[in-house]
PDB file of all heavy atoms in Angstrom:
ATOM      1  N   GLU A1034    -150.548  74.712 -26.097  1.00  0.00           N
ATOM      2  CA  GLU A1034    -150.211  73.547 -26.919  1.00  0.00           C
ATOM      3  C   GLU A1034    -150.194  72.242 -26.123  1.00  0.00           C
ATOM      4  O   GLU A1034    -150.079  71.162 -26.704  1.00  0.00           O
ATOM      5  CB  GLU A1034    -148.859  73.750 -27.602  1.00  0.00           C
ATOM      6  CG  GLU A1034    -148.888  74.807 -28.693  1.00  0.00           C
ATOM      7  CD  GLU A1034    -147.710  74.658 -29.649  1.00  0.00           C
ATOM      8  OE1 GLU A1034    -147.317  73.517 -29.932  1.00  0.00           O
ATOM      9  OE2 GLU A1034    -147.198  75.696 -30.103  1.00  0.00           O
ATOM     10  N   LEU A1035    -150.326  72.331 -24.813  1.00  0.00           N
ATOM     11  CA  LEU A1035    -150.225  71.131 -23.975  1.00  0.00           C
ATOM     12  C   LEU A1035    -151.608  70.550 -23.693  1.00  0.00           C
ATOM     13  O   LEU A1035    -151.989  70.321 -22.553  1.00  0.00           O
ATOM     14  CB  LEU A1035    -149.493  71.462 -22.676  1.00  0.00           C
ATOM     15  CG  LEU A1035    -148.082  72.033 -22.827  1.00  0.00           C
ATOM     16  CD1 LEU A1035    -147.476  72.330 -21.469  1.00  0.00           C
ATOM     17  CD2 LEU A1035    -147.184  71.072 -23.615  1.00  0.00           C
ATOM     18  N   ARG A1036    -152.362  70.293 -24.740  1.00  0.00           N
ATOM     19  CA  ARG A1036    -153.701  69.710 -24.600  1.00  0.00           C
ATOM     20  C   ARG A1036    -153.604  68.191 -24.693  1.00  0.00           C
ATOM     21  O   ARG A1036    -153.010  67.656 -25.630  1.00  0.00           O
ATOM     22  CB  ARG A1036    -154.638  70.252 -25.682  1.00  0.00           C
ATOM     23  CG  ARG A1036    -156.011  69.594 -25.674  1.00  0.00           C
ATOM     24  CD  ARG A1036    -156.973  70.265 -26.629  1.00  0.00           C
ATOM     25  NE  ARG A1036    -157.498  71.522 -26.100  1.00  0.00           N
ATOM     26  CZ  ARG A1036    -158.472  71.625 -25.213  1.00  0.00           C
ATOM     27  NH1 ARG A1036    -159.032  70.525 -24.715  1.00  0.00           N
ATOM     28  NH2 ARG A1036    -158.885  72.804 -24.797  1.00  0.00           N
ATOM     29  N   PHE A1037    -154.219  67.511 -23.736  1.00  0.00           N
ATOM     30  CA  PHE A1037    -154.174  66.056 -23.682  1.00  0.00           C
ATOM     31  C   PHE A1037    -155.402  65.413 -24.304  1.00  0.00           C
ATOM     32  O   PHE A1037    -155.348  64.255 -24.737  1.00  0.00           O
ATOM     33  CB  PHE A1037    -154.078  65.558 -22.228  1.00  0.00           C
ATOM     34  CG  PHE A1037    -153.041  66.261 -21.395  1.00  0.00           C
ATOM     35  CD1 PHE A1037    -153.260  66.501 -20.046  1.00  0.00           C
ATOM     36  CD2 PHE A1037    -151.836  66.694 -21.939  1.00  0.00           C
ATOM     37  CE1 PHE A1037    -152.325  67.132 -19.256  1.00  0.00           C
ATOM     38  CE2 PHE A1037    -150.894  67.344 -21.160  1.00  0.00           C
ATOM     39  CZ  PHE A1037    -151.137  67.566 -19.817  1.00  0.00           C
ATOM     40  N   GLU A1038    -156.527  66.109 -24.284  1.00  0.00           N
ATOM     41  CA  GLU A1038    -157.783  65.519 -24.754  1.00  0.00           C
ATOM     42  C   GLU A1038    -158.745  66.618 -25.147  1.00  0.00           C
ATOM     43  O   GLU A1038    -158.536  67.791 -24.841  1.00  0.00           O
ATOM     44  CB  GLU A1038    -158.405  64.655 -23.646  1.00  0.00           C
ATOM     45  CG  GLU A1038    -158.654  65.413 -22.365  1.00  0.00           C
ATOM     46  CD  GLU A1038    -158.811  64.504 -21.156  1.00  0.00           C
ATOM     47  OE1 GLU A1038    -158.208  63.420 -21.129  1.00  0.00           O
ATOM     48  OE2 GLU A1038    -159.530  64.907 -20.233  1.00  0.00           O
ATOM     49  N   ASN A1039    -159.816  66.230 -25.861  1.00  0.00           N
ATOM     50  CA  ASN A1039    -160.840  67.136 -26.377  1.00  0.00           C
ATOM     51  C   ASN A1039    -160.248  68.064 -27.437  1.00  0.00           C
ATOM     52  O   ASN A1039    -159.055  68.028 -27.731  1.00  0.00           O
ATOM     53  CB  ASN A1039    -161.515  67.918 -25.242  1.00  0.00           C
ATOM     54  CG  ASN A1039    -162.238  66.992 -24.284  1.00  0.00           C
ATOM     55  OD1 ASN A1039    -162.828  65.997 -24.700  1.00  0.00           O
ATOM     56  ND2 ASN A1039    -162.184  67.304 -22.986  1.00  0.00           N
ATOM     57  N   GLU A1040    -161.073  68.914 -27.999  1.00  0.00           N
ATOM     58  CA  GLU A1040    -160.661  69.718 -29.147  1.00  0.00           C
ATOM     59  C   GLU A1040    -160.010  71.032 -28.717  1.00  0.00           C
ATOM     60  O   GLU A1040    -160.350  71.593 -27.681  1.00  0.00           O
ATOM     61  CB  GLU A1040    -161.877  70.026 -30.029  1.00  0.00           C
ATOM     62  CG  GLU A1040    -162.500  68.798 -30.686  1.00  0.00           C
ATOM     63  CD  GLU A1040    -163.665  69.172 -31.574  1.00  0.00           C
ATOM     64  OE1 GLU A1040    -163.955  70.386 -31.693  1.00  0.00           O
ATOM     65  OE2 GLU A1040    -164.287  68.264 -32.142  1.00  0.00           O
ATOM     66  N   ASN A1041    -159.097  71.513 -29.573  1.00  0.00           N
ATOM     67  CA  ASN A1041    -158.516  72.823 -29.342  1.00  0.00           C
ATOM     68  C   ASN A1041    -159.602  73.895 -29.427  1.00  0.00           C
ATOM     69  O   ASN A1041    -160.508  73.815 -30.260  1.00  0.00           O
ATOM     70  CB  ASN A1041    -157.439  73.129 -30.387  1.00  0.00           C
ATOM     71  CG  ASN A1041    -156.142  72.410 -30.099  1.00  0.00           C
ATOM     72  OD1 ASN A1041    -155.837  72.110 -28.948  1.00  0.00           O
ATOM     73  ND2 ASN A1041    -155.378  72.127 -31.135  1.00  0.00           N
ATOM     74  N   MET A1042    -159.485  74.891 -28.577  1.00  0.00           N
ATOM     75  CA  MET A1042    -160.373  76.044 -28.612  1.00  0.00           C
ATOM     76  C   MET A1042    -159.691  77.184 -29.381  1.00  0.00           C
ATOM     77  O   MET A1042    -158.471  77.345 -29.288  1.00  0.00           O
ATOM     78  CB  MET A1042    -160.685  76.508 -27.188  1.00  0.00           C
ATOM     79  CG  MET A1042    -161.517  75.546 -26.362  1.00  0.00           C
ATOM     80  SD  MET A1042    -163.244  75.484 -26.892  1.00  0.00           S
ATOM     81  CE  MET A1042    -163.271  73.877 -27.661  1.00  0.00           C
ATOM     82  N   PRO A1043    -160.451  77.974 -30.128  1.00  0.00           N
ATOM     83  CA  PRO A1043    -159.830  79.117 -30.814  1.00  0.00           C
ATOM     84  C   PRO A1043    -159.308  80.132 -29.809  1.00  0.00           C
ATOM     85  O   PRO A1043    -159.932  80.372 -28.767  1.00  0.00           O
ATOM     86  CB  PRO A1043    -160.974  79.691 -31.651  1.00  0.00           C
ATOM     87  CG  PRO A1043    -162.221  79.250 -30.955  1.00  0.00           C
ATOM     88  CD  PRO A1043    -161.900  77.910 -30.371  1.00  0.00           C
ATOM     89  N   SER A1044    -158.166  80.711 -30.103  1.00  0.00           N
ATOM     90  CA  SER A1044    -157.644  81.768 -29.236  1.00  0.00           C
ATOM     91  C   SER A1044    -158.547  82.990 -29.318  1.00  0.00           C
ATOM     92  O   SER A1044    -159.262  83.197 -30.310  1.00  0.00           O
ATOM     93  CB  SER A1044    -156.225  82.148 -29.664  1.00  0.00           C
ATOM     94  OG  SER A1044    -156.249  82.706 -30.974  1.00  0.00           O
ATOM     95  N   LEU A1045    -158.517  83.798 -28.277  1.00  0.00           N
ATOM     96  CA  LEU A1045    -159.264  85.058 -28.306  1.00  0.00           C
ATOM     97  C   LEU A1045    -158.757  85.943 -29.437  1.00  0.00           C
ATOM     98  O   LEU A1045    -159.540  86.629 -30.110  1.00  0.00           O
ATOM     99  CB  LEU A1045    -159.149  85.781 -26.969  1.00  0.00           C
ATOM    100  CG  LEU A1045    -159.680  85.036 -25.739  1.00  0.00           C
ATOM    101  CD1 LEU A1045    -159.449  85.890 -24.484  1.00  0.00           C
ATOM    102  CD2 LEU A1045    -161.150  84.670 -25.883  1.00  0.00           C
ATOM    103  N   LYS A1046    -157.449  85.910 -29.646  1.00  0.00           N
ATOM    104  CA  LYS A1046    -156.855  86.733 -30.712  1.00  0.00           C
ATOM    105  C   LYS A1046    -157.424  86.361 -32.072  1.00  0.00           C
ATOM    106  O   LYS A1046    -157.636  87.239 -32.927  1.00  0.00           O
ATOM    107  CB  LYS A1046    -155.331  86.561 -30.694  1.00  0.00           C
ATOM    108  CG  LYS A1046    -154.575  87.416 -31.711  1.00  0.00           C
ATOM    109  CD  LYS A1046    -154.717  88.894 -31.414  1.00  0.00           C
ATOM    110  CE  LYS A1046    -153.923  89.748 -32.381  1.00  0.00           C
ATOM    111  NZ  LYS A1046    -154.232  91.193 -32.231  1.00  0.00           N
TER     112      LYS A1046
END
Side-chain angles (χ1 to χ4, degrees):
E1034 290 199 36
L1035 302 179
R1036 175 173 283 281
F1037 313 145
E1038 57 200 30
N1039 297 323
E1040 295 182 2
N1041 283 332
M1042 293 288 108
S1044 64
L1045 300 178
K1046 183 65 178 171

